[in-house]
Amino acid sequence: MKKALIIVVATLLVCTAAICGTLAWLNDSTDSVQNTFVVGENIDIDLDETTGDNYTVVPGATIAKDPVVTVNNNGEGCWVFVEISDNTPDFINYTVDSAWTAVPGYANVYYIENAAETEYAVLANNEVIVDSDVDAAEIESALKNNNTLTFTAYAIQDDAATTAAAAWEAMLAEL
């Protein structure tokens, strides 16, 4: 009986070893994925004007004025802003080009979201118009106060904010 038990146990051990030796767990692996992080292109804008600095004002005149913001950002998305400081008399008028949208809550600040690498005219038709019903005495009196129309352009990466107002606030915080 003892001998039979030893034979059964030995047989079981041999069978177990044979089964386990051929049994393998299913497995798999992948190749590594390596990510490299680099600095993005700088946001780069220019503000130019070809029509000059001083303008003669006469009733009913249409004055050529062509401030242009150029985006040179090489594909980096950005918010572009133009701020207009207007110290001119009420009889000097202009319209901001339709490419620009007013920043909600901010006077005289306009934006273009996710600006492409291109030029954006600031003023519609690149002009300033003098009311025709103003007379020379009004013009002379008003223009003694060093009246200016000033444009300043800004840009910040588009990831800075999800709304124009938030992007403008982020821009102001950087100044």
Side-chain angles (χ1 to χ4, degrees):
M1 178 82 177
K2 210 175 191 185
K3 194 173 183 179
L5 182 62
I6 291 174
I7 291 173
V8 169
V9 169
T11 303
L12 286 174
L13 286 174
V14 169
C15 289
T16 302
I19 292 171
C20 288
T22 61
L23 182 65
W25 293 103
L26 299 176
N27 63 63
D28 193 13
S29 65
T30 66
D31 292 335
S32 297
V33 173
Q34 182 175 353
N35 296 288
T36 303
F37 295 88
V38 297
V39 175
E41 298 292 328
N42 289 332
I43 302 299
D44 180 25
I45 61 170
D46 294 311
L47 176 63
D48 295 307
E49 185 171 14
T50 63
T51 56
D53 296 329
N54 297 304
Y55 302 92
T56 302
V57 177
V58 295
T62 298
I63 302 169
K65 184 150 183 60
D66 66 347
V68 173
V69 177
T70 304
V71 178
N72 307 301
N73 62 354
N74 298 318
E76 293 292 328
C78 63
W79 293 87
V80 176
F81 298 91
V82 66
E83 183 176 30
I84 302 172
S85 176
D86 185 354
N87 297 319
T88 61
D90 291 339
F91 56 79
I92 296 179
N93 301 291
Y94 57 89
T95 302
V96 175
D97 191 84
S98 63
W100 299 90
T101 304
V103 176
Y106 292 91
N108 299 319
V109 179
Y110 302 87
Y111 74 94
I112 295 174
E113 182 179 2
N114 200 19
E117 188 168 351
T118 191
E119 294 181 348
Y120 296 98
V122 176
L123 299 179
N125 302 316
N126 293 318
E127 65 186 17
V128 173
I129 299 171
V130 180
D131 288 346
S132 59
D133 60 351
V134 66
D135 63 35
E138 289 176 281
I139 292 173
E140 188 174 332
S141 174
L143 295 181
K144 288 181 181 179
N145 299 323
N146 191 26
N147 297 283
T148 58
L149 185 56
T150 305
F151 302 90
T152 308
Y154 306 88
I156 190 168
Q157 69 188 57
D158 63 358
D159 294 335
T162 57
T163 67
W168 178 242
E169 290 166 8
M171 183 73 242
L172 292 176
E174 293 293 321
L175 299 178

